[in-house]
């Protein structure tokens, strides 16, 4: 099921942050000159923090807009499943079918190229796909430079377009980290960065009960729910099943916004 009136915030000014950097450093110089290092050093540290901290905040719009919640969807949520395709893909698709649910799978480009039949199966069953980088460099995605970042996003977009027959319109940053060089590629491809407002840390925690408690704390109409497949703990399918059951108990349906 699709949802109407969904905002699609494609970055409009991907380099706006440069002006803020210049302005902040000029302000630091002015403070240092007029008031001395006692004011200059704290101002310098604060100015750097203002540009570094947003990288690690998935919902931050400092380096470009992010879709955090759907509007006007009633008692519904958007299920998003990261890191596939994997051996978990088909069992998760079966669970979604059983519950009459729809989801968007944020796929890693290289993994999609290796298992194109799983991408086709996701689409055949009525679900959506999104770009989740080409190689999923989770340890250093946050610090990729402009060329490396462009390669990650561009290569995944090309791979997914070839496998799926159409380029995706959604993007999710690896581990939710978004540095200054993400927005330019998103604008070039017309991609919308999708964050979340309900997560259970299921990529690292295989206990369905703990994961459910964390997700429920963020559940509300229009919530974007973050889930994963193929996690090393091997419990991703059980976690997705538990989430679907809890959503049904609480009267939530799942929707996929139109691309």
């Amino acid at each position: 099921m699709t949802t109407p009136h969904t905002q699609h915030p494609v970055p409009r000014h991907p380099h706006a942050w440069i002006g803020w950097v210049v302005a902040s450093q000029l302000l630091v110089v002015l403070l240092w000159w007029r008031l001395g290092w006692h004011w200059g050093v704290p101002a310098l540290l604060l100015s750097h923090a203002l540009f570094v901290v947003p990288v690690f905040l998935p919902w931050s719009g400092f380096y470009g807009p992010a879709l955090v919640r759907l509007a006007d969807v009633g008692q519904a949520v958007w299920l998003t499943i990261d890191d596939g395709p994997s051996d978990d893909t088909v069992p998760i698709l079966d669970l979604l079918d059983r519950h009459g649910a729809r989801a968007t799978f944020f796929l890693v480009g290289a993994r999609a190229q290796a298992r194109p039949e799983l991408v086709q199966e996701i689409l055949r069953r009525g679900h959506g796909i999104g770009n989740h980088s080409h190689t999923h460099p989770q340890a250093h995605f946050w610090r990729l430079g402009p060329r490396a970042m462009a390669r990650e996003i561009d290569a995944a977009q090309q791979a997914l377009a070839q496998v799926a027959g159409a380029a995706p319109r959604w993007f999710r940053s690896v581990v939710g980290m978004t540095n200054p060089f993400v927005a330019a590629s998103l604008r070039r491809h017309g991609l919308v960065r999708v964050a979340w407002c309900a997560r259970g840390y299921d990529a690292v925690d295989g206990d369905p009960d703990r994961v459910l408690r964390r997700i429920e704390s963020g559940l509300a109409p229009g919530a974007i729910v973050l889930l994963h497949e193929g996690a090393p703990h091997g419990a991703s399918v059980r976690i997705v099943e538990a989430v679907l059951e809890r959503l049904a108990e609480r009267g939530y349906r799942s929707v996929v916004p139109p691309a």
Side-chain angles (χ1 to χ4, degrees), residues 216-241:
E216 283 191 300
S217 68
L219 272 186
I224 299 176
V225 180
L226 172 64
L227 294 167
H228 295 81
E229 60 174 296
H233 50 61
S236 294
V237 177
R238 288 195 293 115
I239 289 171
V240 172
E241 182 174 23

Side-chain angles (χ1 to χ4, degrees), residues 88-99:
D88 292 339
T89 302
V90 171
I92 289 175
L93 288 172
D94 291 341
L95 285 171
L96 293 169
D97 284 349
R98 196 176 309 150
H99 286 266

Side-chain angles (χ1 to χ4, degrees), residues 6-11 64-68 70 78 104 106 129-132 153 157 168-173 182-183 185-195 224 257-259:
T6 303
Q7 292 182 339
H8 292 184
V10 175
L67 186 59
V68 179
L70 301 182
W78 183 9
T104 298
F106 284 87
I129 64 170
N131 181 327
H132 193 41
I153 296 173
Q157 194 73 353
R169 294 298 306 277
W170 309 114
F171 172 79
R172 173 161 285 151
S173 295
V182 170
S185 289
L186 300 191
R187 178 171 174 78
R188 187 165 60 253
H189 294 291
L191 284 163
V192 175
R193 179 164 65 96
V194 180
I224 299 176

Side-chain angles (χ1 to χ4, degrees), residues 100-167:
R102 291 290 176 266
T104 298
F105 289 74
F106 284 87
L107 304 177
V108 178
R111 297 172 189 172
Q113 284 180 320
R115 308 185 75 171
E117 73 284 354
L118 294 180
V119 181
Q120 292 293 335
E121 187 65 9
I122 290 170
L123 297 171
R124 187 186 71 79
R125 300 209 199 182
H127 305 284
I129 64 170
N131 181 327
H132 193 41
S133 83
H134 194 63
T135 65
H136 200 266
Q138 63 184 45
H140 57 275
F141 182 84
W142 66 275
R143 59 179 174 83
L144 291 181
R147 291 184 180 179
M149 182 64 74
R151 284 196 298 270
E152 279 292 330
I153 296 173
D154 295 355
Q157 194 73 353
Q158 181 179 5
L160 293 171
Q162 288 175 344
V163 173

